[in-house]
Amino acid sequence: MTDEPPRHRRIQVDCPECGHQQAEPALVVSTQCRACRVNFQVRDGKGVSRFKAAARIAKPRKESEPEPAPEPAKPPVPVRFGPQEPPPRPLLLRLLRPSKPPREVVCFGCGHEFKAIASAQSSQCPKCGGYVSLIDHDISGNSNARIQTRGNVVIRKAGSISGVTVRCHHITVLGKLAADVDCSGDLVIRSSGKINATLRCRHLCVEKGARVEFLHPVTADTATIQGHVRGQIFCTGTVTLQKRSRLHGLVRAAGLVTKSRAKHTGTLEITGPPPSP
């Protein structure tokens, strides 16, 4: 006769609470006493009481003992609003890809100047809360869409923009420009031709080889002429004529600096010393 399989064999298990003995399968892990209804575990054929959570009672304090001082409350964590500094980057990443300096931003609404992260696509003025776009625009075809951003605008050789207003930070002109420009940074002209638009910028730069005729007065803080320019230039600061440059027309500025073999033909009005920084 073969032995009975373990799953059919039964063993006698004693309850750890009341001592009642009862038959259970040989593979039993836990069961319930049929006498006192207590649940218990079975280990190596013996009943073991389950773990019971116990409450700890504090020791009574004597009347002569002083009450313990309450723990000091932790100061609340200050909440920061507005732009925050980004977390530090690893050293190797800083060496391979150095971070760009923050860009200067001028609010369209209140004119407040502040700084934003170089990689940001938009920002918010900390003074008036106005939205400021920081998206760059690259124009390589004909465009008549209005642009309002504090990013940079580049007009390629095959590109042109006309009939609208462009408000940006830096603008570089390699193609055709026939739109009013109001930029808070540099207006760089590398192309030749007539510009029938009102231009206002912080610094005007006409690079070497460019021949430009301004049909309307140009207003800027400072100006640097390296090519040939015809028109009226109004500056609150200094106009600088680089080597072999030519300027024909009315110049109204705080000063005129002429380098070697540069020439100015026209009327010059000195308005006074440049404003102190």
Side-chain angles (χ1 to χ4, degrees):
M1 180 182 295
T2 59
D3 295 338
E4 187 180 3
R7 61 182 179 180
H8 296 298
R9 287 194 302 109
R10 304 184 73 82
I11 60 175
Q12 297 295 325
V13 181
D14 297 334
C15 175
E17 297 293 335
C18 64
H20 174 73
Q21 191 178 58
Q22 59 189 33
E24 298 290 346
L27 302 179
V28 66
V29 177
S30 63
T31 184
Q32 185 183 35
C33 178
R34 299 185 182 90
C36 63
R37 302 299 180 182
V38 173
N39 294 324
F40 61 92
Q41 295 180 345
V42 179
R43 297 179 184 175
D44 299 331
K46 297 181 180 181
V48 181
S49 300
R50 289 182 178 272
F51 173 77
K52 295 183 179 180
R56 180 178 295 178
I57 302 176
K59 182 180 179 182
R61 182 176 56 84
K62 297 180 180 180
E63 296 181 358
S64 60
E65 295 181 359
E67 294 184 1
E71 296 183 0
K74 297 182 179 181
V77 180
V79 180
R80 286 187 172 183
F81 296 95
Q84 300 182 9
E85 295 184 357
R89 301 191 304 166
L91 177 60
L92 182 60
L93 186 59
R94 282 181 288 172
L95 294 177
L96 296 178
R97 297 182 180 179
S99 58
K100 298 180 181 179
R103 62 170 68 183
E104 298 179 357
V105 181
V106 180
C107 177
F108 293 109
C110 63
H112 177 69
E113 297 185 9
F114 61 98
K115 292 185 178 181
I117 301 175
S119 59
Q121 296 295 310
S122 64
S123 184
Q124 188 176 18
C125 177
K127 185 176 181 180
C128 68
Y131 170 80
V132 181
S133 173
L134 301 176
I135 300 176
D136 298 333
H137 292 264
D138 196 312
I139 300 174
S140 57
N142 298 329
S143 174
N144 56 359
R146 179 175 177 267
I147 297 176
Q148 179 166 305
T149 179
R150 284 309 179 198
N152 302 327
V153 177
V154 178
I155 304 176
R156 300 294 177 181
K157 287 185 178 181
S160 65
I161 184 169
S162 60
V164 292
T165 301
V166 177
R167 303 183 70 185
C168 60
H169 185 49
H170 296 318
I171 180 170
T172 303
V173 181
L174 292 83
K176 296 180 181 180
L177 175 63
D180 295 340
V181 174
D182 184 0
C183 64
S184 59
D186 300 342
L187 170 58
V188 180
I189 299 178
R190 299 177 180 174
S191 61
S192 300
K194 296 181 180 180
I195 298 180
N196 186 13
T198 302
L199 307 180
R200 183 184 301 272
C201 61
R202 180 172 296 180
H203 179 72
L204 171 66
C205 179
V206 180
E207 294 194 348
K208 185 177 180 180
R211 295 176 176 268
V212 183
E213 180 179 357
F214 297 115
L215 303 182
H216 296 275
V218 180
T219 304
D221 292 349
T222 57
T224 301
I225 308 300
Q226 299 176 355
H228 292 190
V229 175
R230 179 182 294 269
Q232 301 179 9
I233 298 178
F234 299 155
C235 288
T236 56
T238 304
V239 176
T240 302
L241 301 182
Q242 296 292 347
K243 185 178 180 180
R244 295 183 179 180
S245 62
R246 296 290 185 269
L247 175 58
H248 180 83
L250 171 63
V251 175
R252 183 180 299 163
L256 178 65
V257 177
T258 305
K259 298 297 180 68
S260 174
R261 302 177 67 179
K263 184 178 181 181
H264 169 239
T265 304
T267 305
L268 173 61
E269 297 181 4
I270 302 298
T271 57
S276 58

